[in-house]
Short mmCIF file of all heavy atoms in Angstrom, two decimals:
data_model
loop_
_atom_site.label_atom_id
_atom_site.label_comp_id
_atom_site.label_asym_id
_atom_site.label_seq_id
_atom_site.Cartn_x
_atom_site.Cartn_y
_atom_site.Cartn_z
N ASN A 4 95.43 85.67 39.16
CA ASN A 4 96.46 85.89 40.19
C ASN A 4 95.84 86.34 41.50
O ASN A 4 96.27 85.95 42.58
CB ASN A 4 97.47 86.93 39.71
CG ASN A 4 98.38 86.36 38.63
OD1 ASN A 4 98.54 85.14 38.53
ND2 ASN A 4 98.98 87.24 37.83
N LEU A 5 94.83 87.17 41.39
CA LEU A 5 94.17 87.68 42.60
C LEU A 5 93.44 86.56 43.34
O LEU A 5 93.46 86.46 44.55
CB LEU A 5 93.19 88.79 42.21
CG LEU A 5 92.46 89.48 43.38
CD1 LEU A 5 93.47 90.08 44.37
CD2 LEU A 5 91.52 90.56 42.84
N LYS A 6 92.80 85.65 42.52
CA LYS A 6 92.10 84.51 43.13
C LYS A 6 93.06 83.60 43.88
O LYS A 6 92.78 83.13 44.98
CB LYS A 6 91.39 83.71 42.06
CG LYS A 6 90.17 84.44 41.48
CD LYS A 6 89.53 83.56 40.43
CE LYS A 6 88.29 84.27 39.83
NZ LYS A 6 87.65 83.45 38.79
N VAL A 7 94.23 83.34 43.30
CA VAL A 7 95.24 82.49 43.94
C VAL A 7 95.73 83.11 45.24
O VAL A 7 95.88 82.46 46.26
CB VAL A 7 96.43 82.23 42.98
CG1 VAL A 7 97.56 81.53 43.72
CG2 VAL A 7 95.97 81.40 41.80
N THR A 8 95.96 84.42 45.17
CA THR A 8 96.43 85.14 46.36
C THR A 8 95.41 85.05 47.48
O THR A 8 95.73 84.82 48.64
CB THR A 8 96.73 86.62 46.02
OG1 THR A 8 97.72 86.66 45.01
CG2 THR A 8 97.22 87.35 47.25
N ASP A 9 94.14 85.24 47.14
CA ASP A 9 93.07 85.16 48.15
C ASP A 9 93.00 83.76 48.76
O ASP A 9 92.78 83.58 49.96
CB ASP A 9 91.73 85.52 47.51
CG ASP A 9 91.63 87.01 47.18
OD1 ASP A 9 92.47 87.76 47.72
OD2 ASP A 9 90.74 87.37 46.40
N MET A 10 93.16 82.74 47.90
CA MET A 10 93.09 81.36 48.38
C MET A 10 94.24 81.06 49.35
O MET A 10 94.05 80.43 50.39
CB MET A 10 93.17 80.40 47.19
CG MET A 10 93.02 78.91 47.59
SD MET A 10 91.45 78.56 48.39
CE MET A 10 90.35 78.74 46.95
N LYS A 11 95.45 81.52 49.03
CA LYS A 11 96.60 81.32 49.90
C LYS A 11 96.39 81.99 51.25
O LYS A 11 96.71 81.44 52.30
CB LYS A 11 97.88 81.88 49.25
CG LYS A 11 98.40 81.00 48.12
CD LYS A 11 99.68 81.61 47.56
CE LYS A 11 100.27 80.74 46.44
NZ LYS A 11 101.49 81.31 45.88
N THR A 12 95.81 83.15 51.17
CA THR A 12 95.56 83.90 52.41
C THR A 12 94.60 83.14 53.31
O THR A 12 94.79 83.03 54.52
CB THR A 12 94.99 85.29 52.08
OG1 THR A 12 95.92 85.99 51.28
CG2 THR A 12 94.74 86.07 53.36
N LYS A 13 93.55 82.58 52.66
CA LYS A 13 92.56 81.83 53.43
C LYS A 13 93.20 80.57 54.05
O LYS A 13 92.94 80.22 55.21
CB LYS A 13 91.40 81.42 52.54
CG LYS A 13 90.49 82.59 52.17
CD LYS A 13 89.38 82.11 51.25
CE LYS A 13 88.46 83.30 50.86
NZ LYS A 13 87.38 82.86 49.96
N LEU A 14 94.05 79.87 53.27
CA LEU A 14 94.69 78.65 53.78
C LEU A 14 95.61 78.94 54.97
O LEU A 14 95.64 78.21 55.96
CB LEU A 14 95.47 77.96 52.67
CG LEU A 14 94.63 77.27 51.58
CD1 LEU A 14 95.52 76.79 50.45
CD2 LEU A 14 93.83 76.11 52.16
N ILE A 15 96.35 80.06 54.81
CA ILE A 15 97.26 80.45 55.91
C ILE A 15 96.45 80.77 57.16
O ILE A 15 96.80 80.40 58.27
CB ILE A 15 98.12 81.67 55.48
CG1 ILE A 15 99.11 81.24 54.41
CG2 ILE A 15 98.84 82.26 56.69
CD1 ILE A 15 99.84 82.39 53.75
N TYR A 16 95.33 81.43 56.94
CA TYR A 16 94.47 81.81 58.06
C TYR A 16 93.90 80.57 58.76
O TYR A 16 93.92 80.46 59.98
CB TYR A 16 93.33 82.70 57.55
CG TYR A 16 92.31 83.04 58.61
CD1 TYR A 16 92.59 83.98 59.60
CD2 TYR A 16 91.07 82.39 58.63
CE1 TYR A 16 91.66 84.28 60.57
CE2 TYR A 16 90.13 82.69 59.60
CZ TYR A 16 90.43 83.64 60.58
OH TYR A 16 89.51 83.93 61.53
N VAL A 17 93.43 79.58 57.96
CA VAL A 17 92.87 78.34 58.52
C VAL A 17 93.93 77.57 59.29
O VAL A 17 93.70 77.08 60.38
CB VAL A 17 92.27 77.48 57.39
CG1 VAL A 17 91.90 76.10 57.94
CG2 VAL A 17 91.06 78.16 56.79
N ALA A 18 95.15 77.46 58.69
CA ALA A 18 96.25 76.73 59.35
C ALA A 18 96.60 77.38 60.68
O ALA A 18 96.85 76.71 61.68
CB ALA A 18 97.46 76.69 58.44
N ALA A 19 96.62 78.71 60.65
CA ALA A 19 96.94 79.44 61.87
C ALA A 19 95.90 79.19 62.96
O ALA A 19 96.23 79.00 64.13
CB ALA A 19 97.04 80.93 61.58
N CYS A 20 94.62 79.17 62.51
CA CYS A 20 93.54 78.90 63.46
C CYS A 20 93.66 77.52 64.07
O CYS A 20 93.43 77.31 65.26
CB CYS A 20 92.18 79.06 62.76
SG CYS A 20 91.79 80.78 62.38
N VAL A 21 94.01 76.51 63.22
CA VAL A 21 94.17 75.12 63.70
C VAL A 21 95.30 75.05 64.72
O VAL A 21 95.18 74.42 65.76
CB VAL A 21 94.45 74.17 62.51
CG1 VAL A 21 94.85 72.79 63.03
CG2 VAL A 21 93.22 74.07 61.62
N MET A 22 96.42 75.74 64.40
CA MET A 22 97.56 75.71 65.31
C MET A 22 97.22 76.38 66.62
O MET A 22 97.60 75.91 67.70
CB MET A 22 98.77 76.40 64.66
CG MET A 22 99.36 75.61 63.50
SD MET A 22 100.75 76.47 62.72
CE MET A 22 101.93 76.41 64.05
N ILE A 23 96.49 77.49 66.52
CA ILE A 23 96.10 78.21 67.74
C ILE A 23 95.17 77.34 68.58
O ILE A 23 95.30 77.24 69.80
CB ILE A 23 95.42 79.56 67.38
CG1 ILE A 23 96.46 80.49 66.79
CG2 ILE A 23 94.78 80.18 68.62
CD1 ILE A 23 95.84 81.75 66.16
N ALA A 24 94.22 76.66 67.88
CA ALA A 24 93.27 75.79 68.59
C ALA A 24 93.98 74.63 69.26
O ALA A 24 93.70 74.27 70.41
CB ALA A 24 92.22 75.27 67.61
N ALA A 25 94.92 74.04 68.50
CA ALA A 25 95.68 72.91 69.05
C ALA A 25 96.50 73.35 70.25
O ALA A 25 96.58 72.66 71.27
CB ALA A 25 96.58 72.31 67.98
N SER A 26 97.08 74.54 70.10
CA SER A 26 97.91 75.06 71.18
C SER A 26 97.06 75.36 72.41
O SER A 26 97.46 75.12 73.54
CB SER A 26 98.64 76.32 70.70
OG SER A 26 99.39 76.88 71.75
N ALA A 27 95.87 75.88 72.14
CA ALA A 27 94.98 76.24 73.25
C ALA A 27 94.50 75.00 74.00
O ALA A 27 94.32 75.03 75.21
CB ALA A 27 93.78 77.02 72.71
N SER A 28 94.29 73.89 73.26
CA SER A 28 93.79 72.67 73.91
C SER A 28 94.91 71.75 74.36
O SER A 28 94.66 70.73 74.97
CB SER A 28 92.88 71.91 72.93
OG SER A 28 93.62 71.47 71.80
N ALA A 29 96.15 72.05 74.03
CA ALA A 29 97.29 71.20 74.39
C ALA A 29 97.50 71.19 75.90
O ALA A 29 97.41 72.24 76.55
CB ALA A 29 98.54 71.68 73.69
N GLN A 30 97.76 70.01 76.45
CA GLN A 30 98.06 69.89 77.87
C GLN A 30 98.77 68.56 78.10
O GLN A 30 98.39 67.54 77.52
CB GLN A 30 96.78 69.94 78.71
CG GLN A 30 97.07 70.23 80.18
CD GLN A 30 95.79 70.49 80.96
OE1 GLN A 30 94.71 70.15 80.50
NE2 GLN A 30 95.91 71.09 82.13
N LYS A 31 99.81 68.56 78.91
CA LYS A 31 100.60 67.37 79.14
C LYS A 31 99.80 66.36 79.99
O LYS A 31 99.00 66.74 80.84
CB LYS A 31 101.90 67.72 79.86
CG LYS A 31 102.83 68.61 79.04
CD LYS A 31 104.07 68.97 79.84
CE LYS A 31 105.05 69.78 79.01
NZ LYS A 31 104.50 71.09 78.63
N GLY A 32 100.09 65.08 79.75
CA GLY A 32 99.42 64.04 80.50
C GLY A 32 99.66 64.15 81.99
O GLY A 32 98.78 63.85 82.80
N VAL A 33 100.85 64.56 82.38
CA VAL A 33 101.17 64.70 83.79
C VAL A 33 100.32 65.77 84.47
O VAL A 33 100.10 65.74 85.69
CB VAL A 33 102.68 65.01 83.97
CG1 VAL A 33 103.02 66.43 83.53
CG2 VAL A 33 103.13 64.77 85.41
N ASP A 34 99.83 66.72 83.65
CA ASP A 34 99.02 67.82 84.20
C ASP A 34 97.53 67.49 84.25
O ASP A 34 96.84 67.86 85.21
CB ASP A 34 99.24 69.10 83.37
CG ASP A 34 100.67 69.60 83.47
OD1 ASP A 34 101.27 69.46 84.55
OD2 ASP A 34 101.19 70.12 82.45
N ASN A 35 97.03 66.83 83.20
CA ASN A 35 95.59 66.59 83.17
C ASN A 35 95.20 65.15 83.55
O ASN A 35 94.03 64.79 83.51
CB ASN A 35 94.99 66.95 81.82
CG ASN A 35 95.49 66.06 80.68
OD1 ASN A 35 96.16 65.06 80.90
ND2 ASN A 35 95.16 66.45 79.44
N GLY A 36 96.20 64.33 83.89
CA GLY A 36 95.92 62.99 84.37
C GLY A 36 95.53 62.00 83.29
O GLY A 36 95.08 60.89 83.61
N THR A 37 95.71 62.35 82.02
CA THR A 37 95.38 61.43 80.94
C THR A 37 96.62 60.64 80.54
O THR A 37 97.74 60.95 80.96
CB THR A 37 94.84 62.18 79.71
OG1 THR A 37 95.86 63.08 79.24
CG2 THR A 37 93.59 62.96 80.06
N GLN A 38 96.42 59.65 79.70
CA GLN A 38 97.53 58.78 79.33
C GLN A 38 98.58 59.52 78.50
O GLN A 38 99.78 59.43 78.76
CB GLN A 38 97.00 57.57 78.56
CG GLN A 38 98.07 56.54 78.24
CD GLN A 38 97.49 55.30 77.58
OE1 GLN A 38 96.29 55.25 77.29
NE2 GLN A 38 98.33 54.31 77.33
#
Side-chain angles (χ1 to χ4, degrees):
N4 287 338
L5 183 57
K6 289 180 180 179
V7 171
T8 300
D9 289 344
M10 183 60 71
K11 286 181 178 179
T12 301
K13 287 179 181 180
L14 288 172
I15 291 170
Y16 174 76
V17 171
C20 289
V21 170
M22 291 178 66
I23 291 169
S26 177
S28 64
Q30 197 171 17
K31 296 177 176 65
V33 72
D34 295 326
N35 65 9
T37 61
Q38 185 175 4

